Amino acid sequence: MSFSHMQIEELLDESRKHLCEGYGRERVCVNIAAVGDLPSRFGEFHVVAFYNNRDDQEHAAFVHGDVCDSEDVPVRVHSECLTGDAIGSLRCDCRDQLEASLNEIGNGEKGVLLYLRQEGRGIGFVNKIRAYGLQDHGLDTVEANVALGFRDDEREYSVAAHMLDSLRVRSIKLMTNNPRKIDDLTQHGIKINERLPLVIPPNDSNRFYLETKAAKSGHLIDFSGKERLVEQGDRPIVEGATPEQIAALHEG
Ligand SMILES: [Zn+2]
């Protein structure tokens, strides 16, 4: 089990009393609104629903094990992807990343998956599908976003930082291939002690998308396609490589 009844009461109590000035440029305050048990195919979790004082986005945390006042908690920050997470789209690797991280967290001693309702790298569902339409005509992910007037990545992680603080997580090991996420969370006061790479082999439909992520957005992605697991420990595959080097890796 994750939280004790007493911890849940405490967390809810703190949230009720305490609406802060908010985090990030939007000054978002996300407080814990409700907590429930969530047995899942990935193990025993608690689901934590967050109240949001700025927009109507209802974010969620899935908590396994004792994470309150805990150090080195494995954390995955996942942005919602309706087509990938729910439908199993092969245009992206979202569902693979979601399942790999839930497996890893569920099988471990403790961990948190934050599920952020920022669809399509933060541009929203309708715009994401517009971008798909453009990509069907030959643009890559980044070009399509730019053509629609968005930056390559509109996601922002102040909400995630706030959620971790509300859960009273002290320090984390971040499961990610995205160096920007590390910088962004660090800027918002999260102590990251280690990076846990997520290794997921590309398929024929998402290979171009993943290569674009690596080449244009600086993601650290392994293209060997040999392993289907989350690597534990600090064993980065292409850490420190430039986007050009990463691109060259799988051209050869
Ligand atoms: Zn996706």
Side-chain angles (χ1 to χ4, degrees), residues 1-2 36-47 62-64:
M1 250 318 132
S2 313
D37 284 348
L38 196 77
S40 81
R41 64 193 62 194
F42 303 101
E44 289 294 327
F45 285 80
H46 268 111
V47 55
F62 298 89
V63 176
H64 174 75

Side-chain angles (χ1 to χ4, degrees), residues 202-214:
N203 62 47
D204 287 344
S205 311
N206 72 14
R207 180 174 292 274
F208 182 59
Y209 161 80
L210 291 175
E211 286 174 354
T212 306
K213 249 182 166 178

